[in-house]
Amino acid sequence: MLERLREIEAETLKQLESIEDRGALHRLESATIGKKGEITGILRSIGQLPPEERPAVGQLANEVKRRLEAAFAEREEYLRQQELARSLESGAIDVTLPGRPVPTGRLHPITRTLREIYAIWAEMGFQIYRSREVEEDEVNFTLLNMPPHHPARDMWDTFYTTTEGVLLRTHTSPGQIHVMREYAPEPIRVILPGMVYRYEQITARSEIQFNQVEGLAVGHSIHMSDLKGTMAAFARRLYGADRRVRFRCSHFPFTEPSMEVDVECILCDGEGCNVCKHTGWLEIAGAGMVHPVVLKNGGYDPAVYSGFAFGMGVERITMLRHGIEDIRYFWGNDLRFLEQF
Ligand code: PHE
């Protein structure tokens, strides 16, 4: 019996050394130390042995059982490690692989320009006032000194809704009326940014929708010189301190006098190029002193109050700064364009 026990131990340990899968390991385990295993069988049959042999067999059987248990556990752990190493190697999970980049969105180039513009005007004390995009004909035109049938309306044809007298605003200027009516007779210093709409033939330089930033200052003793100084300060902050600025006479029904603001072409430094049509200058805004009729429509007495207003195109400014040659890219939703910013 003792001999057999030593044999089982030696044989099992030898087999264990070459066992490579856990199924075979478990089979060998139950054949030896399992419930129906040989060693378990020997332990159970000790009672049938002659009394003088019992202690020695019992002791050895228990020792062998404990040693084999330890050997099985050790081999099992070894196989587990092997399996893990194999699965890592075969690439089930390669923890060293760099992660897949999560696509992140970014700000639209127009949003970025708008934020820069807001920051400059904020420094000069202008607050943002949001005005509606769906507007009344009355506010978009009539209250801005363009009564029905006024020829200036032709410059700003737009999209009309099925409701009589309601349209998509053609410029941010109707916001002037809303802000004045809300704050009169307080002094005002605001910018009014947002989308405007025009019924136009779409080309590289004109779109049916684009952003403007309107500005309005109303108060006591506001003069043309304030407007010029303010526009020059803005242009230098946006385009660089040594940019030259010039003012040209112009006409808008809602300002008097009116002007266009030009900056020295930022692409050719005033030398003359395709973008500035060889003039050396780029138009950045329309502006002027608020017309007395408009002041009155806003609730201010033009004999006491005066003010200036301006309006600039945001896509225009962005095109110049990034050398973008077609305005249609902005709202065409082409990622190849948008991802460049
Ligand atoms: N609203 C004018 C336009 O869209 C721009 C402008 C605004 C001009 C304010 C003068 C004063 O062309």
Side-chain angles (χ1 to χ4, degrees):
M1 207 51 101
L2 294 173
E3 197 48 39
R4 180 66 194 139
L5 279 168
R6 285 195 196 97
E7 245 174 57
I8 299 173
E9 180 174 14
E11 249 169 56
T12 309
L13 289 175
K14 192 155 174 266
Q15 281 182 45
L16 256 185
E17 263 172 42
S18 58
I19 274 186
E20 288 301 340
D21 77 284
R22 291 206 273 168
L25 180 122
H26 289 143
R27 278 193 297 281
L28 183 60
E29 195 173 11
S30 44
T32 51
I33 56 174
K35 262 194 211 132
K36 291 180 184 154
E38 200 177 346
I39 293 180
T40 317
I42 292 173
L43 276 165
R44 259 196 218 119
S45 63
I46 279 175
Q48 283 134 47
L49 291 177
E52 66 280 10
E53 282 179 29
R54 289 178 198 167
V57 173
Q59 201 192 339
L60 185 63
N62 276 317
E63 276 172 23
V64 170
K65 190 180 173 189
R66 245 180 286 118
R67 284 200 290 270
L68 287 181
E69 272 168 1
F72 278 114
E74 194 185 310
R75 187 72 189 174
E76 176 146 22
E77 176 59 21
Y78 166 80
L79 291 179
R80 242 176 38 77
Q81 293 294 342
Q82 290 286 98
E83 252 169 57
L84 187 64
R86 256 200 312 280
S87 90
L88 286 180
E89 211 154 276
S90 72
I93 315 169
D94 181 351
V95 293
T96 66
L97 208 71
R100 287 191 197 130
V102 179
T104 47
R106 61 194 80 204
L107 294 176
H108 192 280
I110 293 302
T111 305
R112 291 166 47 143
T113 306
L114 277 170
R115 289 189 178 183
E116 275 180 63
I117 293 173
Y118 298 163
I120 295 172
W121 288 112
E123 270 179 15
M124 295 200 263
F126 286 74
Q127 280 180 275
I128 294 176
Y129 185 92
R130 296 271 170 198
S131 185
R132 64 195 66 166
E133 288 179 26
V134 180
E135 190 52 276
E136 287 164 36
D137 182 292
E138 165 109 359
V139 190
N140 193 78
F141 293 122
T142 311
L143 295 174
L144 291 174
N145 205 23
M146 284 179 276
H149 311 299
H150 191 290
R153 286 184 172 219
D154 292 350
M155 251 168 78
W156 288 290
D157 201 3
T158 188
F159 299 92
Y160 294 88
T161 67
T162 46
T163 309
E164 171 89 30
V166 177
L167 43 74
L168 298 186
R169 66 178 177 187
T170 59
H171 49 177
T172 42
S173 301
Q176 291 186 29
I177 299 292
H178 293 298
V179 76
M180 282 194 281
R181 289 188 168 179
E182 187 173 331
Y183 287 104
E186 298 294 320
I188 293 175
R189 232 192 264 178
V190 290
I191 54 169
L192 306 109
M195 196 68 96
V196 302
Y197 304 85
R198 291 187 190 176
Y199 179 66
E200 297 208 42
Q201 195 185 355
I202 302 174
T203 68
R205 300 203 63 77
S206 58
E207 251 285 30
I208 57 169
Q209 61 173 73
F210 56 96
N211 283 276
Q212 285 189 330
V213 174
E214 186 93 3
L216 176 68
V218 178
H220 295 282
S221 329
I222 293 183
H223 304 293
M224 188 78 170
S225 52
D226 298 311
L227 172 58
K228 291 169 77 174
T230 308
M231 294 311 288
F234 171 78
R236 293 196 184 107
R237 283 184 203 205
L238 189 65
Y239 292 106
D242 45 6
R243 283 287 144 208
R244 289 194 300 154
V245 179
R246 79 173 180 185
F247 305 100
R248 271 180 301 120
C249 289
S250 186
H251 170 77
F252 297 101
F254 34 90
T255 47
E256 180 59 36
S258 304
M259 65 186 195
E260 307 274 357
V261 184
D262 295 347
V263 288
E264 202 176 16
C265 180
I266 56 175
L267 297 170
C268 64
D269 281 331
E271 295 283 306
C273 66
N274 281 334
V275 174
C276 61
K277 298 193 195 105
H278 302 284
T279 61
W281 295 94
L282 295 166
E283 184 191 314
I284 59 157
M289 301 308 290
V290 182
H291 196 286
V293 166
V294 176
L295 279 174
K296 208 182 308 144
N297 289 339
Y300 291 84
D301 179 355
V304 180
Y305 295 91
S306 57
F308 65 69
F310 56 83
M312 55 184 81
V314 184
E315 280 75 1
R316 202 59 212 291
I317 292 173
T318 312
M319 288 167 81
L320 293 174
R321 305 184 83 206
H322 295 289
I324 299 163
E325 70 272 343
D326 197 319
I327 195 171
R328 290 168 291 193
Y329 288 134
F330 289 114
W331 309 109
N333 277 343
D334 187 335
L335 286 180
R336 289 170 302 178
F337 170 74
L338 296 172
E339 280 174 347
Q340 294 176 47
F341 298 91

